């Protein structure tokens, strides 16, 4: 693999070469549970780790390895390990780094099931978590303990799309010997590479942008060989949350177009964010690519492009949000994200419904907030659908109190 090639080229060539035996262009799908040894010595040597080679698919599989190499290359990591889901990667990272009685610092607003796993780890492993709002050097300093081992982050934050300064918090963690784990699902390695800012592990729900076509559940965790080795060779092997070869093959198929998909997701999201901002029935728009976003400059520094997710508040409160969602004709009402199709969800009654209302509003998740995963359809068709669904809300604009954006820019 040549690092003189750019990322979008390496997605297509890079780690995947035509099959040596057959010349097949597409990566071979090695759909097998186990691997046959030539003789007892070969089997013994592989078990002893004295010889490279596959043994049993739960321990490793060539199709899965190809995906791991590809994602590691994109993230600039030495190694990667794939899991049966994004949550497999989250639990691999947390269980790999944390032991009984350790303490964890975590950005507020993380993925719901990650939140659930942390609750489980507290109960079963006495691993306590302190949630920190918009982590910065000072805020982390206030929450750190002698037994703090890990700082766990998601940026952009779901669903409010705030940005955490990875350079600042990774420098702080390094001084203290704390490992930093970043869930990079929202940005993808095309737009943001946390290891370059000093993170130790970076993970993905490959179910989202990496797969991109809504047909597979998977996860990948990347980092140094030293950290990934034991997670792959012990934890994943013994816990067993392995990605199936076929799902790895689907992800290898999806990932080849990741760069072009991301370009289109972002181009569409930027336009939709501006159109929403100018719409009378929209109160507020959260998008890191809008100059009125509180961390606009940080987003420009840290991310190559501001991403394909847009959140916004509609007029009319909860009723307004419900009316809007039920009027959509093309955009799909569902909780995943990163699909080629535009997906829409209502955090207060869906992804964040289990979060107590008080905490929800502290996180900026109001009843009128809508989260949009902007797809790669023609922009005019996406906007036509959103606009017709917003239309009846425009009549309530009088009571809506639209925020003024003094720094609105036309570029
Ligand atoms: C979906 C998601 C996960 C969990 O991934 P699964 O593949 O559904 O297990 C973790 N983190 C983020 C940010 C996600 O969006």
């Amino acid at each position: 693999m040549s690092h003189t090639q750019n990322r979008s080229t390496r997605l297509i060539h890079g780690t995947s070469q035509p099959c040596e035996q057959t010349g097949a262009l597409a990566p071979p799908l090695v759909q097998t549970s186990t691997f046959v040894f030539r003789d007892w010595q070969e089997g013994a040597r592989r078990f002893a780790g004295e010889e490279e080679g596959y043994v049993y698919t739960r321990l490793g599989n060539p199709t899965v390895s190809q995906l791991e190499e590809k994602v590691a290359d994109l993230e600039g990591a030495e190694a990667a390990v794939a899991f049966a889901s994004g949550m497999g990667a989250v639990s691999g990272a947390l269980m790999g780094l944390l032991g009984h009685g350790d303490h964890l610092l975590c950005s507020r607003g993380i993925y719901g099931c990650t939140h659930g796993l942390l609750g489980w780890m507290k109960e079963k492993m006495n691993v306590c978590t302190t949630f920190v709002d918009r982590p910065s050097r000072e805020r982390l300093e206030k929450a750190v303990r002698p037994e703090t081992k890990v700082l766990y982050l998601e940026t952009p934050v779901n669903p409010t799309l705030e940005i955490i300064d990875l350079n600042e918090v990774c420098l702080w963690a390094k001084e203290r010997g704390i490992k930093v784990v970043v869930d990079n699902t929202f940005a993808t390695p095309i737009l943001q590479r946390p290891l370059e800012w000093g993170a130790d592990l970076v993970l993905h729900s490959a179910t989202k942008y990496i797969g991109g076509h809504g047909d597979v559940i998977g996860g990948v965790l990347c980092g140094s060989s030293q950290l990934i080795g034991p997670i792959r060779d012990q934890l994943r092997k013994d816990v067993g949350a392995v990605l199936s070869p076929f799902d790895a093959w689907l992800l290898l198929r999806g990932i080849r177009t990741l760069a072009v998909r991301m370009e289109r997701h972002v181009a569409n999201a930027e336009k939709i964010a501006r159109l929403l901002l100018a719409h009378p029935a929209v109160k507020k728009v959260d998008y890191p690519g809008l100059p009125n976003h509180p961390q606009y400059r940080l987003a420009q520094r840290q991310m190559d492009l501001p991403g394909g997710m847009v959140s916004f508040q509609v007029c009319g409160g909860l009723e307004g949000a419900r009316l809007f969602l039920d009027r959509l004709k093309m955009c799909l009402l569902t909780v995943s994200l990163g699909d080629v199709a535009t997906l829409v969800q209502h955090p207060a009654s869906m992804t964040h419904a289990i979060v107590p209302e008080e905490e929800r509003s502290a996180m900026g998740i109001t009843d009128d907030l809508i989260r949009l995963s902007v797809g790669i359809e023609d922009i005019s068709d996406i906007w036509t659908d959103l606009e017709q669904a917003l239309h009846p809300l425009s009549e309530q604009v009088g009571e809506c109190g639209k925020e003024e954006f003094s720094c609105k820019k036309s570029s």
Side-chain angles (χ1 to χ4, degrees):
M1 150 191 51
S2 164
H3 274 276
T4 53
Q5 287 176 346
N6 291 307
R7 205 166 274 104
S8 57
T9 307
R10 299 208 308 271
L11 268 171
I12 294 160
H13 301 284
T15 56
S16 32
Q17 304 298 331
C19 174
E20 266 176 39
Q21 284 94 35
T22 64
L25 167 68
L29 166 54
V30 185
Q31 186 73 21
T32 187
S33 57
T34 196
F35 298 82
V36 179
F37 310 127
R38 262 189 294 264
D39 50 32
W40 75 267
Q41 256 185 333
E42 186 177 76
R45 280 199 305 270
R46 285 194 190 168
F47 266 91
E50 291 162 10
E51 178 187 299
E52 292 276 309
Y54 294 97
V55 170
Y56 185 66
T57 281
R58 179 155 45 72
L59 282 58
N61 172 285
T63 310
V64 177
S65 301
Q66 264 210 32
L67 175 71
E68 291 169 339
E69 280 168 33
K70 185 126 278 184
V71 179
D73 173 46
L74 291 178
E75 285 288 5
E78 276 175 8
V81 52
F83 289 91
S85 68
M87 283 317 299
V90 174
S91 52
L94 293 178
M95 291 185 176
L97 296 179
L98 292 160
H100 193 270
D102 285 342
H103 176 249
L104 174 86
L105 289 166
C106 187
S107 61
R108 205 178 282 283
I110 52 161
Y111 188 69
C113 297
T114 305
H115 196 275
L117 177 68
L118 293 173
W120 187 92
M121 287 179 80
K122 176 169 192 295
E123 215 172 280
K124 305 278 186 188
M125 296 169 61
N126 193 32
V127 169
C128 292
T129 303
T130 304
F131 290 97
V132 182
D133 267 321
R134 276 166 271 118
S136 64
R137 183 173 271 277
E138 281 127 56
R139 286 164 187 237
L140 291 168
E141 197 58 49
K142 280 194 193 124
V144 73
R145 295 186 195 168
E147 66 273 24
T148 306
K149 292 281 156 57
V150 169
L151 169 61
Y152 187 94
L153 306 167
E154 278 180 28
T155 178
V157 177
N158 178 25
T160 51
L161 305 177
E162 286 160 12
I163 308 290
I164 297 165
D165 190 332
L166 289 175
N167 187 45
E168 179 181 328
V169 301
C170 290
L171 278 174
W172 174 84
K174 201 136 280 175
E175 286 163 18
R176 297 206 157 250
I178 293 167
K179 296 270 184 279
V180 180
V181 182
V182 179
D183 181 336
N184 202 27
T185 302
F186 271 42
T188 80
I190 300 300
L191 308 186
Q192 171 175 280
R193 288 162 304 280
L195 299 179
E196 289 176 0
W197 297 106
D200 298 281
L201 290 177
V202 55
L203 65 91
H204 291 276
S205 167
T207 312
K208 315 295 165 54
Y209 287 109
I210 288 182
H213 296 73
D215 51 11
V216 57
I217 299 265
V220 184
L221 175 65
C222 310
S224 65
S225 304
Q226 199 194 353
L227 288 178
I228 293 296
I231 295 173
R232 182 188 52 228
D233 300 335
Q234 288 155 33
L235 202 139
R236 185 185 63 174
K237 167 172 81 70
D238 295 343
V239 170
V242 288
L243 187 68
S244 79
F246 181 59
D247 288 343
W249 189 85
L250 283 174
L251 290 170
L252 279 167
R253 180 185 165 119
I255 202 171
R256 272 177 274 186
T257 54
L258 182 62
V260 280
R261 279 189 283 113
M262 290 318 291
E263 271 171 35
R264 175 75 166 228
H265 280 299
V266 174
N268 280 356
E270 283 182 326
K271 287 179 200 140
I272 291 293
R274 284 172 199 284
L275 287 164
L276 286 169
L277 191 59
H279 195 282
V282 175
K283 269 166 73 175
K284 184 172 184 281
V285 181
D286 298 315
Y287 182 65
L290 284 178
N292 72 309
H293 186 284
Q295 293 101 33
Y296 174 66
R297 281 187 194 291
L298 171 58
Q300 282 195 314
R301 194 165 69 234
Q302 182 165 296
M303 303 176 74
D304 292 353
L305 290 167
M309 303 295 293
V310 179
S311 291
F312 61 101
Q313 285 171 256
V314 294
C315 291
L318 182 59
E319 272 314 303
R322 286 182 177 158
L323 196 63
F324 167 77
L325 292 169
D326 284 345
R327 277 181 62 91
L328 289 169
K329 293 191 170 89
M330 181 190 84
C331 301
L332 303 166
L333 184 58
T334 171
V335 294
S336 191
L337 62 106
D339 196 85
V340 289
T342 297
L343 311 182
V344 185
Q345 70 113 352
H346 183 233
S349 61
M350 294 172 191
T351 50
H352 294 72
I354 62 159
V355 181
E357 198 180 334
E358 208 169 300
E359 199 179 326
R360 223 164 47 213
S361 51
M363 285 161 63
I365 302 168
T366 48
D367 283 348
D368 55 9
L369 186 75
I370 307 284
R371 190 189 79 183
L372 205 60
S373 169
V374 181
I376 63 171
E377 303 98 331
D378 190 291
I379 180 73
S380 60
D381 292 320
I382 303 173
W383 180 244
T384 300
D385 193 28
L386 295 176
E387 196 180 32
Q388 65 79 25
L390 282 168
H391 185 72
L393 306 182
S394 303
E395 287 147 26
Q396 302 173 34
V397 170
E399 311 114 64
C400 167
K402 188 178 171 73
E403 283 193 12
E404 291 299 328
F405 298 104
S406 51
C407 49
K408 208 152 113 180
K409 202 165 80 169
S410 56
S411 69

